[in-house]
Each structure stands twice: as structure tokens, then as C-alpha cells.
Amino acid sequence: MLPRHDGRQPGHIRPYTFTPDFAPHAAGSVLASCGRTQVICAASIQDEVPRWMKAQGVSGGWITAEYSMLPYSTLERKPRDISKGRLDGRSVEIQRLIGRSIRAAVDLEKLGPRTLTIDCDVLRADGGTRTTAITGAFVAVARAFRVLEARGELRSSPIQAQIGAVSVGVVGGQVLVDLDYEEDKAATVDMNVVMTSQNQFVEVQAAGEESTFSPEQFTSLLEGARVGLKQIFDLQLAAIEA
């Protein structure tokens, strides 16, 4: 197997770091850095639920997310969505994915009548912004729940599963884990995998880029994701404990 352009082996993730309490006014926050990709993830908590939950008599709490790429996160300035008067389709898709992923990790009944909002703002983009956002969001949420526990507002953490995400792809016939932008551009198959630390899937997004892929390649991609996520889960736990 050939080494990658940055010297990594195919199954190795990029260097991952978490800087906790990056947004001091949030209940829990972290700057998640995956290689050169940087995402600020901040969790805020309100003691109320959306009106639709009240109207339908739905018990428990709710979790939602917002995602944006800051104008200077890419080489060429990316206009803010507000300047266009609407969110672009990609941002909507990603923030819904983040919300679904974190809801899969949390017992909403134990959360109680609260709304947890996760803001994910991309500071620098070099591939894997959605997976870095999900991975960082889990850390921010876990730290926010610790604050609520310390205040006596939660008897125990509502977290029921550890969640992480990673990209995998086929580049030059090889299965690579955690693609940066250069690799992502060259990938013939691209996949994003969201999983729990118990190897349960939350979501799998896979597509051939003007190509197809076999069942054997699909299995290899999932195995690559599992190996990469094992590394990420260990780093998440250390950041939550920090």
C-alpha cells in the first residue's frame, strides 16, 4: 500500500485535537480540529421545548443543530447564507444530520422539558467538516450535561451512547480513512459513517463519484470506518474528561 500524500497509512485518521470551553457562554463547547479542518461546536440549553411538542403532548426534551461555514473557512470567501436570504441545501442537510446523530446518543426523556441546540461553525475547511462537526458536537454535549449534573439540574447524564463520525473513500483503488480535501476530490467512492462505540450505525451516506462500487468494497469501507472511529472514540473520552 502506498503512503498518502501527508504520510499517513490508509487506516489512520488525521491528528485530532479538542480544545474544551472554547465558547465560554455556552453550556458546553469545544474547538474540534481534525488535521487542518477546524469546527467550533457549542451546546446551549433552554428550559422549554418547541411549540410542536407542547401542541402534540410529546414528553421529554428536544435536540436540534445549526451548521454554517464561516466566510473565511475556505480559500475563496464563502458568502454567508443570510446574504442569499436562505440556507443552502448542503447546510440544511448537514445540520439535520448532526441533529439526528446527537438525538441517537441521548435519552430525550431523561433530558426533560429542555431544548438543546448545537451550533457547529466551520472555522477552517479541509475535508470532513460534517464528520468533525458530529464528533465535536458529542464532546460539547457531554460536557454540557456535566455542567447540568453539577448544578443539580440533572440527576444523571442522559447520554445513552457514544457517537462519532468519520469519512472513508476509495482513492486510487485504495480504501482510505478520514479523507482531506485533496483526497476527497480524487475519490471514486465517498462515504460518511456515523456510529456508536458499540458498533451500531446511526447513518451511512455512500455514493460513487461517476463510478460504482462492489459489495466487497462497501464492506471494506465500513471496516475502515470502524477502525478510524475506534481511534476517535478514545480521543473523545479524553476530551470529555479534560
Side-chain angles (χ1 to χ4, degrees), residues 110-129:
K110 288 181 70 174
L111 176 60
R114 301 180 177 92
T115 297
L116 173 65
T117 303
I118 308 154
D119 290 290
C120 296
D121 296 298
V122 179
L123 194 62
R124 186 177 184 185
D126 185 36
T129 60

Side-chain angles (χ1 to χ4, degrees), residues 30-43:
V30 69
L31 171 64
S33 301
C34 175
R36 289 180 292 192
T37 291
Q38 296 177 306
V39 185
I40 304 167
C41 303

